[in-house]
Amino acid sequence: MAPDPTEDSDLDRTLTAVGPRLRALRRQREVTLADLSRSTGISVSTLSRLESGDRRPNLELLLPLARAHGVTLDELVGAPPTGDPRIHLRPLTRHGMTMVPLTRRAGGIQAYKLVIPAGSNRREPDPKTHEGYEWLYVLNGRLRVLLGERDLTLTPGEAAEFDTRVPHWFGGADDQPVEFLSLFGSQGERAHLRARPKSVRTEGSSA
């Protein structure tokens, strides 16, 4: 029986889409090709060719990449949905925080629940910058946010939104754990900023 050209075409489209998805996942996690190479054992040149579409992905390459990115193989290759709306949560640990992805698309707005363990206020702040826009909402605990020259403390029920090209850093404001939600995307929806400065000088106070 002759192969169905339609099936071959569908497979080619699926494999072609893997490269951009791999690049988006890596940039979302803020890791370099060298970092990914060390965690997967795949050479930098092979990773680069996979992302650019010059290398055809196979199972031997996709399995370690799916593990490194914390996604299922189906999510990595963009398999058609099965009708089950549940998201299988795969926590990641980054910068001392536990990140639980609440969305499963490689592109677009990404949603996470983040947990900062107790005692994180002892960590030295290390502000970062990257492309995008972020929105935060504190569930429990007190979140310290360094944003440019501002030193803010967010408490449960408070939210903040900002351009991630501004140097920023998150940590516990005290020695208690913190839980918060994060929406991140290149064009995040603007939310009302209700963050209080860590220390505010009132009118008439002494310098």
Side-chain angles (χ1 to χ4, degrees):
M1 183 176 179
D4 186 343
T6 303
E7 292 182 0
D8 290 341
S9 178
D10 289 343
L11 177 60
D12 288 340
R13 282 196 296 269
T14 297
L15 294 178
T16 299
V18 170
R21 191 171 289 108
L22 286 171
R23 183 182 291 109
L25 283 168
R26 179 175 61 80
R27 289 178 175 176
Q28 171 191 318
R29 296 178 58 236
E30 299 177 34
V31 298
T32 64
L33 287 172
D35 293 333
L36 192 57
S37 176
R38 283 191 290 271
S39 65
T40 62
I42 302 172
S43 70
V44 170
S45 61
T46 296
L47 291 172
S48 178
R49 291 171 62 203
L50 282 171
E51 290 189 0
S52 65
D54 293 334
R55 172 69 183 266
R56 189 181 179 91
N58 56 40
L59 195 59
E60 184 179 358
L61 295 171
L62 293 178
L63 282 175
L65 285 169
R67 285 195 296 268
H69 290 310
V71 298
T72 66
L73 192 58
D74 284 351
E75 292 168 334
L76 193 61
V77 301
T82 62
D84 186 349
R86 292 173 297 181
I87 297 173
H88 302 288
L89 307 179
R90 293 175 177 269
L92 308 171
T93 299
R94 203 174 88 191
H95 305 312
M97 295 185 289
T98 298
M99 305 175 63
V100 183
L102 303 178
T103 51
R104 55 185 175 188
R105 292 191 305 156
I109 300 297
Q110 303 293 324
Y112 295 92
K113 178 181 178 182
L114 294 96
V115 180
I116 301 178
S120 67
N121 63 321
R122 298 186 181 91
R123 290 195 302 122
E124 187 68 25
D126 182 22
K128 303 289 186 181
T129 63
H130 51 85
E131 291 295 324
Y133 208 83
E134 190 158 2
W135 176 87
L136 306 175
Y137 179 83
V138 179
L139 299 170
N140 293 295
R142 300 172 70 244
L143 179 68
R144 182 185 180 193
V145 180
L146 298 185
L147 183 60
E149 298 299 320
R150 304 189 69 186
D151 192 344
L152 312 170
T153 297
L154 276 67
T155 56
E158 292 191 314
E161 48 92 19
F162 56 90
D163 189 324
T164 54
R165 289 173 296 184
V166 176
H168 58 281
W169 176 89
F170 312 136
D174 49 37
D175 60 357
Q176 299 300 308
V178 186
E179 297 182 21
F180 62 102
L181 299 177
S182 170
L183 295 181
F184 171 80
S186 57
Q187 295 181 335
E189 290 292 329
R190 289 182 171 270
H192 183 58
L193 179 66
R194 291 183 54 229
R196 293 196 304 267
K198 188 175 182 182
S199 58
V200 179
R201 180 184 299 174
T202 59
E203 187 176 351
S205 62
S206 59

